[in-house]
Amino acid sequence: MRSFVRRQGRLTPRQEQALETQWPILGIEYQPELIDFSQIFGREAPVVLEIGFGMGTSLVTMAKNSPENNYFGIEVHAPGVGACLASAQEENATNLRVMCHDAIEVLNHMIPDNSLSMVQLFFPDPWHKARHNKRRIVQVPFAELILKKLTIGGVFHMATDWEPYAQHMLEVMTSVDSYHNLSKTHDFVPRPETRPVTKFEKRGHRLGHGVWDLMFKRVK
């Protein structure tokens, strides 16, 4: 099980400079041994993991707005990592660490069980074509893996602008024991204020696209 198709892109000067100067400060290299979050952040605080943070805009905003949390982002697209690091430097977001690696390998080999207060997965690739649906990251084994990494009471928060994927996510998450859907209507939740609205999402709203948020809490 892999979480991505590796994408390489051209770096802008801003992204390249951030990778050179900020990666040694905020970047975490992959190694198959468990992370000590208190050590890499230099403090004890709830850890929020975002998988596939894109250009990092919302991740940096959340880190800035919630200094009481530690934010850990995983993204495989080097320009996105560079952009995130540049934004973190500009916003002085010191409670943020990033990795450029496959999220499944990181979860399996580096993230301790029962260590995350929240996992965020915003707008993952929906793999629209039916024959590609099996490539969607949200499948039962993935939901079970996230469950192990969450603390009791920790929350898995997903968002998508593709309704068939939203329904798929709901079916998968509902089928896994030990999760409780935080939706009062047993399906989707209103967008929490903690999830910033991105330019991508605003554009979708203008085009009449919906966005579906799901939040499932680990209860045991």
Side-chain angles (χ1 to χ4, degrees):
M1 180 169 60
R2 295 177 74 81
S3 68
F4 73 103
V5 176
R6 185 173 290 281
R7 304 182 306 278
Q8 298 299 334
R10 192 180 297 252
L11 295 168
T12 66
R14 174 176 177 264
Q15 293 163 2
E16 196 163 5
Q17 182 182 28
L19 282 167
E20 288 177 7
T21 63
Q22 297 305 301
W23 180 265
I25 302 168
L26 303 180
I28 304 295
E29 297 287 353
Y30 176 78
Q31 49 190 3
E33 57 186 56
L34 293 178
I35 290 173
D36 181 339
F37 283 119
S38 63
Q39 184 176 40
I40 67 167
F41 284 99
R43 65 171 187 168
E44 294 277 356
V47 178
V48 178
L49 168 66
E50 182 164 351
I51 296 171
F53 57 73
M55 302 305 276
T57 307
S58 61
L59 180 59
V60 172
T61 299
M62 287 183 286
K64 183 184 175 186
N65 291 345
S66 301
E68 71 279 6
N69 293 329
N70 290 333
Y71 287 84
F72 190 79
I74 305 173
E75 172 59 55
V76 297
H77 197 212
V81 175
C84 181
L85 289 170
S87 298
Q89 182 181 22
E90 291 157 7
E91 297 293 345
N92 194 30
T94 58
N95 58 329
L96 172 64
R97 300 290 183 273
V98 298
M99 288 192 68
C100 189
H101 199 77
D102 171 43
I104 300 298
E105 287 193 8
V106 176
L107 283 162
N108 275 320
H109 302 298
M110 295 187 71
I111 306 295
D113 291 351
N114 311 302
S115 67
L116 304 173
S117 65
M118 179 171 282
V119 175
Q120 299 174 162
L121 180 71
F122 299 152
F123 306 104
D125 193 329
W127 294 104
H128 303 88
K129 295 180 180 177
R131 70 176 184 274
H132 291 155
N133 285 177
K134 62 181 180 295
R135 298 186 187 180
R136 292 171 173 170
I137 188 171
V138 180
Q139 307 288 355
V140 170
F142 178 73
E144 292 173 338
L145 178 58
I146 297 297
L147 183 76
K148 286 196 324 183
K149 304 304 173 180
L150 288 168
T151 59
I152 301 291
V155 173
F156 185 17
H157 179 191
M158 293 150 278
T160 180
D161 63 341
W162 184 248
E163 189 172 12
Y165 197 5
Q167 293 292 343
H168 170 83
M169 289 173 168
L170 183 60
E171 289 173 16
V172 167
M173 295 302 297
T174 302
S175 75
V176 179
D177 288 341
S178 304
Y179 276 120
H180 169 69
N181 191 347
L182 295 181
S183 166
K184 293 177 181 176
T185 51
H186 309 292
D187 47 16
F188 308 107
V189 297
R191 181 186 66 83
E193 291 185 2
T194 51
R195 181 174 72 75
V197 179
T198 63
K199 286 190 292 185
F200 164 84
E201 188 174 349
K202 288 176 183 173
R203 177 178 175 274
H205 284 312
R206 288 198 301 273
L207 295 172
H209 299 171
V211 172
W212 292 265
D213 281 84
L214 302 90
M215 298 183 80
F216 280 76
K217 180 170 73 172
R218 179 184 173 183
V219 291
K220 61 181 179 179

